[in-house]
Amino acid sequence: MSPIYGRVIILFILASIWQLVAWLVNSSDFPSLLTVMESFHYHFFQGDMLVNLTVTLKRVLLSFIIAMILGVIIGILMGTSKRLNQLSDTLLIIVLNVPALVTILLCYIWFGLVESAAILAVVINKVPTVVVMIREGARVVDEDLLDVAKVYKLSITKTFFKVFLPQLYPYIMASARAGLSLIWKIVLVVELLGRSDGVGFALNTLFQFFDIAGILAYTFAFISIVLAIENLLFRPLDKLIARGSHHDRT
Amino acid sequence: MIALDIAINDKQYDNSSSVVLKDIKFTVKPGEFVAIIGPSGSGKTTLLNMLSGLEEATTQKILCNAQPIEDCKELQLGYIFQQPRLMPWLTVQENIQLVLPTIQQTKISHLLAQVGLKGKENYYPKQLSGGMQKRVAIARAFAVNPELILLDEPFNSLDAPTAAKLRLLLVELCKSCNSTVILVTHDLSEAIYLADRIIFMSDSPSSIVHQVNVELPKPRKESGCNELAWQTKLLQQHPDILSGILKTTE
């Protein structure tokens, strides 16, 4: 049986269990899958779901890109320079452990309930986790390969992009994967606390009306998008990065 | 062609107080093939690393055509390490292309044909055997038209027939490039087969204990009668020379 059939069957079984339990419980607090689908249809075609999803995705994408670029740069610097690492290690641990909610609230208080404050709050929350992962990668870079670059007098850009950075790709991929799931969760909190659009705002409104089916419909929509990103972006990238790492011999 | 004048007073590592190399002084004539033999841990690789600019001694003077080697920016250097040190994420062709300043497809194809890897251009290093990887490393070293070639026990991890084939290949390539060559090895018969002169080093802290010209006509044979006789005579004269001790019996 091909893995795709297996996955579909598991999803089908889970959906059946959900439908059965909802039917047994028979309460509006636990809507059936069909009710959630109806709600999804309603919010998608008649409500603001598409607008909210677009707004949230834009925020997720923007903060993801900024956090990854900053995290990779700082991580490489800390991983390759012992002195810088010693200087900023404590700061990193502090930032890593400040609760996300505190950063969000402080950003809103200091910079106002504006878009840039929302993005900044998400970025501040994400950068330290990227830094930690990339720093570990930069610490274990193979010096022997860098010696090859030095002996053959490769330019700095060639050494960086062809010899150094490829060694960090697995670490960048791992932090990107972990990053995306963390970021969209934080974005939702940011929206819930201080924005008037986006999925977080919509969930807050649905919560006011105790619309459980609506909340689940939004969750369903977002999970579908994350699954699509995983399959269309991360898996092909995984294959690209893993090139040359298999062990078939001629 | 490159002539070298090497004078290293002493070399010790930052994290250790023990001296690795002491009073190493020798010259290499243009186009000469010099083999350096010494016991394990005698600093042979360190010496090659210093010639390639990967390491520096506290007091050293290495002249390349009467100029300090640090100032010879245009010096084309080929270094074949103990391990092939290929970039696992690059194909065979890309690994050679990496050390060239411009795309030189024809040159790479020609080199790969010379080292017997025609048709393997798009293989990744892990898809190749150890001997094949070494061939790629040899092709990479000769791709830069090296004026100076450094070889660090290049054939020690290979089986005897493969090593013999690669030695033959090396002789052909060196002849076509007119390069000055320094080979580090602990295999006396390999040194006799390849070199014009053999330098014997002592145990750490290493110094030169003996130098001998291999006065045998070229092309030589591996384990040929003349070569074996020459080796036997040398070992009879200096029975402990391979351990870095110059004891004379006559």
Side-chain angles (χ1 to χ4, degrees):
Chain A
M1 190 169 63
S2 89
I4 191 105
Y5 287 123
R7 276 183 216 160
V8 170
I9 288 172
I10 287 172
L11 280 177
F12 183 75
I13 292 170
L14 283 174
S16 309
I17 294 171
W18 180 355
Q19 188 67 23
L20 189 73
V21 173
W23 180 67
L24 287 172
V25 172
N26 194 20
S27 154
S28 59
D29 288 349
F30 196 96
S32 71
L33 187 60
L34 279 175
T35 321
V36 173
M37 285 300 123
E38 275 169 20
S39 172
F40 176 80
H41 187 268
Y42 169 79
H43 285 290
F44 195 84
F45 290 104
Q46 286 161 40
D48 292 334
M49 187 188 261
L50 207 57
V51 178
N52 287 327
L53 279 176
T54 319
V55 168
T56 300
L57 269 177
K58 266 189 197 161
R59 285 182 189 136
V60 168
L61 202 69
L62 191 62
S63 28
F64 175 77
I65 293 171
I66 298 174
M68 284 305 293
I69 292 175
L70 283 177
V72 168
I73 293 173
I74 301 171
I76 289 175
L77 290 175
M78 283 181 76
T80 47
S81 159
K82 250 186 194 167
R83 207 178 145 75
L84 188 70
N85 189 41
Q86 280 168 347
L87 282 173
S88 45
D89 196 38
T90 319
L91 180 69
L92 180 68
I93 293 169
I94 293 171
V95 183
L96 201 59
N97 287 291
V98 171
L101 197 56
V102 173
T103 334
I104 297 164
L105 291 175
L106 286 179
C107 281
Y108 276 148
I109 293 166
W110 287 337
F111 306 108
L113 292 173
V114 288
E115 192 68 20
S116 50
I119 302 289
L120 182 68
V122 183
V123 170
I124 292 174
N125 274 298
K126 179 56 195 161
V127 167
T129 57
V130 182
V131 171
V132 168
M133 229 177 261
I134 303 299
R135 181 180 61 171
E136 290 316 308
R139 270 180 184 166
V140 294
V141 156
D142 191 345
E143 292 288 336
D144 284 356
L145 296 182
L146 291 175
D147 280 352
V148 173
K150 205 172 167 189
V151 162
Y152 289 101
K153 299 184 181 100
L154 302 193
S155 64
I156 294 172
T157 31
K158 214 171 182 181
T159 304
F160 182 75
F161 288 109
K162 298 270 183 179
V163 183
F164 183 83
L165 202 58
Q167 300 190 53
L168 295 186
Y169 285 162
Y171 295 88
I172 295 174
M173 271 308 283
S175 59
R177 268 217 172 87
L180 198 65
S181 59
L182 180 73
I183 279 179
W184 86 262
K185 284 170 191 168
I186 300 172
V187 165
L188 259 53
V189 180
V190 167
E191 288 175 344
L192 184 131
L193 287 173
R195 304 306 300 144
S196 53
D197 51 9
V199 176
F201 170 77
L203 286 176
N204 194 21
T205 318
L206 293 167
F207 172 64
Q208 313 278 326
F209 293 103
F210 258 66
D211 184 354
I212 316 280
I215 291 173
L216 287 172
Y218 263 95
T219 313
F220 175 77
F222 222 93
I223 287 175
S224 307
I225 291 170
V226 172
L227 275 176
I229 294 174
E230 169 72 26
N231 284 305
L232 299 175
L233 187 72
F234 285 146
R235 289 219 177 130
L237 269 175
D238 262 346
K239 273 191 189 164
L240 192 71
I241 286 164
R243 71 198 192 282
S245 61
H246 44 85
H247 296 262
D248 320 331
R249 295 206 184 272
T250 49
Chain B
M1 281 198 281
I2 292 295
L4 291 173
D5 193 347
I6 296 153
I8 297 159
N9 282 357
D10 73 293
K11 161 75 183 169
Q12 60 190 72
Y13 286 105
D14 298 340
N15 50 4
S16 157
S17 56
S18 60
V19 178
V20 188
L21 298 172
K22 195 155 184 64
D23 294 328
I24 304 280
K25 282 192 183 77
F26 65 96
T27 54
V28 183
K29 285 179 267 182
E32 193 180 16
F33 196 128
V34 172
I36 297 171
I37 291 188
S40 294
S42 60
K44 304 185 292 292
T45 301
T46 308
L47 177 61
L48 285 195
N49 284 345
M50 289 168 76
L51 294 177
S52 66
L54 291 177
E55 287 182 43
E56 275 180 18
T58 25
T59 40
Q60 67 170 36
K61 203 169 94 181
I62 301 171
L63 299 179
C64 169
N65 286 349
Q67 252 195 327
I69 201 158
E70 313 79 81
D71 299 342
C72 300
K73 305 281 180 222
E74 299 300 310
L75 171 70
Q76 290 298 333
L77 178 74
Y79 194 155
I80 301 172
F81 301 90
Q82 280 186 30
Q83 301 302 320
R85 296 199 192 181
L86 303 171
M87 310 299 148
W89 47 88
L90 298 180
T91 60
V92 166
Q93 183 170 306
E94 289 165 343
N95 261 292
I96 301 171
Q97 182 60 62
L98 180 71
V99 300
L100 296 169
T102 52
I103 295 171
Q104 296 178 36
Q105 191 58 51
T106 333
K107 184 175 188 175
I108 295 172
S109 304
H110 179 67
L111 262 169
L112 286 176
Q114 265 185 303
V115 297
L117 285 177
K118 203 175 172 187
K120 301 268 190 278
E121 290 86 349
N122 296 318
Y123 281 60
Y124 286 98
K126 281 208 172 152
Q127 294 174 287
L128 303 175
S129 67
M132 285 175 167
Q133 289 185 29
K134 197 61 100 174
R135 282 167 192 266
V136 181
I138 293 174
R140 180 176 65 185
F142 281 92
V144 295
N145 296 329
E147 296 158 284
L148 174 64
I149 299 175
L150 305 174
L151 301 149
D152 186 8
E153 301 185 26
F155 312 121
N156 69 342
S157 56
L158 302 172
D159 59 89
T162 311
K165 269 189 212 163
L166 290 185
R167 271 183 216 115
L168 198 64
L169 173 70
L170 184 73
V171 169
E172 283 170 16
L173 286 168
C174 287
K175 213 195 289 176
S176 64
C177 268
N178 280 330
S179 319
T180 304
V181 188
I182 299 181
L183 162 78
V184 153
T185 180
H186 53 241
D187 182 350
L188 182 57
S189 50
E190 179 176 82
I192 295 169
Y193 173 63
L194 294 168
D196 301 314
R197 183 157 50 106
I198 305 175
I199 294 174
F200 292 91
M201 283 171 78
S202 71
D203 210 346
S204 187
S206 292
S207 53
I208 295 170
V209 288
H210 191 51
Q211 290 194 47
V212 59
N213 289 321
V214 186
E215 285 149 349
L216 290 169
K218 282 186 176 177
R220 295 179 194 145
K221 280 185 195 154
E222 264 202 281
S223 310
C225 293
N226 289 341
E227 286 76 8
L228 281 175
W230 196 89
Q231 180 174 339
T232 315
K233 194 180 153 200
L234 180 75
L235 288 176
Q236 272 171 354
Q237 277 174 349
H238 310 291
D240 291 324
I241 193 83
L242 293 178
S243 313
I245 301 162
L246 186 72
K247 209 160 55 179
T248 312
T249 52
E250 285 167 15

